[in-house]
């Protein structure tokens, strides 16, 4: 009798894996080719041009606003010129009551004083009024007018220098003809230099009236219009240098003597008080105008 047959053993064979079991293999990425130097420069240049274009657009807007602001500033300035005029006229009326006011402001001004010689100062003793008049349209110009009292130098009662700006912005200037009395033309004389007995050739302040070479950069006109005319009182009320020095020397001397003095307060206080009062009364005076070189009486 045959016994039970042994179980069949599964035949181990190499079988292909199922599709689901098939491992996925990724394709290797192709390397990005490097940007050549020329291409990189081209990209950077394009970016820079785009940025520059944006900057230019912003700048254009800024310029438009600046132009609008300039127009508004001019309108405001014109308005305030009209508001200031009654006060400048009233100021001129008061100034005319002070002898030698304008010559004092001229010789005290650091930019005008070096341009004056002795004869200029003598002539300017007779300057009674100074006016700055802007045109109704501020952009078109202004005039500076000197008003003189009767004097031995000039036939003119007034001398006016006028500055105009044309449509293209090109400035021009013109001036009244100065009519000098015989032998008194300061622009042709050889004036004496201040504080000197020698006859030396130097330019007269009055040559400025006939100087029209560069009206757009007229330093004297700018100083007169923007500084001297704006507040002439500050140049009239300049402290006297000599008085200031005297006061300073007295103060230093007093302090030194106070430190070294061993005398009792009771003995010294009346003397110090009296001396201090006497000196301060003299030295604290302000100089209301420099006394120019001429001693002539003016009306």
């Amino acid at each position: 009798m045959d016994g039970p047959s042994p179980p069949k053993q599964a035949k181990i064979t190499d079988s292909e894996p199922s599709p689901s079991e098939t491992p996925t293999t990724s394709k290797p990425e192709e390397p990005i080719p490097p940007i050549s130097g020329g291409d990189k420069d081209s990209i950077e240049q394009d970016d820079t041009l785009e940025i520059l274009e944006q900057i230019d657009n912003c700048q254009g807007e800024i310029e438009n606003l600046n132009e609008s602001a300039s127009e508004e500033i001019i309108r405001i300035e014109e308005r305030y010129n009209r508001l200031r005029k009654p006060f400048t006229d009233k100021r001129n009326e008061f100034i005319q009551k002070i002898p030698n006011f304008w010559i004092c402001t001229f010789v005290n001004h650091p930019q005008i004083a070096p341009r004056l010689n002795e004869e200029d100062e003598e002539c300017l003793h007779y300057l009674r009024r100074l006016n700055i008049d802007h045109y109704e349209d501020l952009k078109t110009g202004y005039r500076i007018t000197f008003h003189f009292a009767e004097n031995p130098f000039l036939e003119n009662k007034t001398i006016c220098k006028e500055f105009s700006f044309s449509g293209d912005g090109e400035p021009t200037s013109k001036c009244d003809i100065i009519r000098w009395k015989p032998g008194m033309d300061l622009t042709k004389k050889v004036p004496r230099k201040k504080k000197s007995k020698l006859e030396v050739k130097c330019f007269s302040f009055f040559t400025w009236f006939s100087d029209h070479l560069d009206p757009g950069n007229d330093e004297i006109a700018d100083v007169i219009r923007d500084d001297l005319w704006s507040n002439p009182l500050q140049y009239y009320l300049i402290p006297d240098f000599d008085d200031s020095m005297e006061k300073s020397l007295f103060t230093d001397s007093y302090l030194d003597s106070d430190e070294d003095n061993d005398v009792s307060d009771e003995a010294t206080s009346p003397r110090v008080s009296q001396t201090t009062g006497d000196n301060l009364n003299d030295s604290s005076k302000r100089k209301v105008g420099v006394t120019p070189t001429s001693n002539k009486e003016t009306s």
Side-chain angles (χ1 to χ4, degrees):
M1 184 173 179
D2 296 332
S5 58
K8 293 182 180 180
Q9 295 182 353
K11 187 178 180 181
I12 301 174
T13 59
D14 295 333
S15 60
E16 294 182 0
S18 63
S20 61
E21 297 175 351
T22 304
T24 57
T25 58
S26 59
K27 258 185 174 182
E29 294 184 0
E30 297 181 359
I32 299 174
I35 300 176
S36 65
D39 293 339
K40 185 177 181 181
D41 291 343
S42 177
I43 293 172
E44 290 180 353
Q45 187 176 6
D46 290 342
D47 291 342
T48 301
L49 289 174
E50 184 177 351
I51 294 171
L52 289 175
E53 185 176 351
Q54 296 301 325
I55 293 174
D56 186 58
N57 291 338
C58 292
Q59 192 62 42
E61 295 298 331
I62 292 171
E63 294 300 329
N64 291 337
L65 288 172
N66 288 343
E67 187 173 347
S68 299
S70 297
E71 294 294 332
E72 290 188 25
I73 290 170
I74 289 173
R75 286 196 294 271
I76 292 171
E77 187 65 27
E78 288 172 347
R79 175 172 172 253
Y80 277 90
N81 278 343
R82 291 191 293 271
L83 293 175
R84 280 191 289 261
K85 193 170 190 316
F87 296 99
T88 55
D89 289 344
K90 184 181 293 186
R91 184 183 69 184
N92 258 339
E93 291 175 7
F94 288 122
I95 286 175
Q96 290 184 79
K97 298 177 182 180
I98 300 178
N100 301 324
F101 180 91
W102 285 112
I103 178 58
C104 290
T105 62
F106 273 57
V107 299
N108 285 340
H109 196 286
Q111 291 170 276
I112 295 180
R115 302 172 184 270
L116 301 175
N117 57 56
E118 285 189 0
E119 285 79 4
D120 292 335
E121 290 183 14
E122 290 174 12
C123 185
L124 289 172
H125 264 82
Y126 300 94
L127 179 61
R128 291 292 176 268
R129 188 181 182 100
L130 179 68
N131 273 2
I132 306 291
D133 297 300
H134 293 275
Y135 293 172
E136 187 173 347
D137 183 352
L138 195 64
K139 295 183 296 183
T140 57
Y142 65 97
R143 65 180 65 89
I144 302 174
T145 308
F146 287 63
H147 299 257
F148 290 90
E150 181 64 33
N151 64 84
F153 295 90
L154 300 162
E155 298 287 354
N156 304 60
K157 296 297 183 185
T158 63
I159 305 175
C160 176
K161 187 166 185 178
E162 195 166 350
F163 296 84
S164 303
F165 305 96
S166 57
D168 57 1
E170 188 66 25
T172 59
S173 65
K174 61 181 180 179
C175 180
D176 296 337
I177 296 175
I178 301 179
R179 301 188 305 277
W180 297 99
K181 290 186 177 179
M184 303 303 291
D185 188 344
L186 300 184
T187 64
K188 293 181 180 179
K189 290 180 69 175
V190 180
R192 298 185 308 274
K193 191 174 182 179
K194 289 185 286 185
K195 298 182 181 179
S196 173
K197 296 181 180 180
L198 299 176
E199 295 287 338
V200 295
K201 186 174 182 179
C202 61
F203 290 105
S204 166
F205 171 80
F206 287 88
T207 60
W208 167 71
F209 287 99
S210 58
D211 181 6
H212 307 294
L213 293 177
D214 191 5
N217 295 291
D218 193 312
E219 182 183 355
I220 294 180
D222 292 341
V223 167
I224 293 174
R225 180 191 61 186
D226 300 330
D227 188 21
L228 187 68
W229 166 255
S230 178
N231 184 6
L233 193 61
Q234 65 179 321
Y235 295 107
Y236 184 77
L237 295 177
I238 289 181
D240 187 355
F241 177 78
D242 294 334
D243 286 346
S244 300
M245 287 297 293
E246 179 186 348
K247 183 176 181 180
S248 176
L249 291 172
F250 168 76
T251 304
D252 293 343
S253 175
Y254 171 72
L255 292 175
D256 291 342
S257 63
D258 187 58
E259 290 176 0
D260 298 336
N261 198 350
D262 295 328
V263 184
S264 65
D265 292 340
E266 183 179 356
T268 58
S269 57
R271 180 179 59 80
V272 172
S273 174
Q274 181 180 358
T275 306
T276 304
D278 291 342
N279 279 273
L280 289 179
N281 285 340
D282 293 334
S283 61
S284 62
K285 294 177 183 176
R286 293 178 64 84
K287 174 178 161 183
V288 287
V290 173
T291 302
T293 55
S294 174
N295 295 320
K296 293 184 179 180
E297 294 280 336
T298 58
S299 57

